[in-house]
Amino acid sequence: MKQEDLERLNLPLMSTGSENEDPSAAAYTVTVDLKTGASTGVSASDRAKTILALSSPDSKPQDFRRPGHVFPLKYRNGGVLRRAGHTKASVDLVSLAGLRPISVQLQFLMLRMALWPDYPL
């Protein structure tokens, strides 16, 4: 998410010195869940609703509960021309497509790796 959206939604960085200490580190903000229309925030449906609300220009800071289950990342100005990375590339691509400069990244955890490293697949 771009700085102006993070400021509008009052989403500060999780670690305020992280940008200056390590410019290659991901710039995570505080975690959030949507307050209205979602339950605990942990389900895929609740997370999708939270992401839609984060991407809406009409959302307000009070629409979100903190801490939550969605981890917004701060986009660094300059995009991939400044630093190659998933966050910069995804926001650059949606911006080039004429869409709002917000994207979603998912990481999948294989059950085998998480619970049973020796479980045959």
Side-chain angles (χ1 to χ4, degrees), residues 36-55:
T36 306
S39 62
T40 64
V42 73
S43 72
S45 174
D46 285 352
R47 291 177 194 217
K49 291 173 186 175
T50 299
I51 292 165
L52 283 173
L54 284 168
S55 67

Side-chain angles (χ1 to χ4, degrees), residues 10-43:
N10 191 24
L11 296 174
L13 291 177
M14 202 179 285
S15 175
T16 54
S18 62
E19 271 192 305
N20 298 329
E21 293 170 13
D22 184 2
S24 66
Y28 288 101
T29 71
V30 295
T31 58
V32 295
D33 286 332
L34 184 63
K35 281 184 183 176
T36 306
S39 62
T40 64
V42 73
S43 72

Side-chain angles (χ1 to χ4, degrees), residues 5-6 11 13 18 26 35 59 63 76-77 79 82 85 95 99 103 110 113:
D5 287 317
L6 295 175
L11 296 174
L13 291 177
S18 62
K35 281 184 183 176
S59 292
D63 295 336
R76 293 197 176 117
N77 290 334
R82 180 168 171 212
S95 296
L99 302 171
S103 66
M110 290 180 59
M113 292 170 34

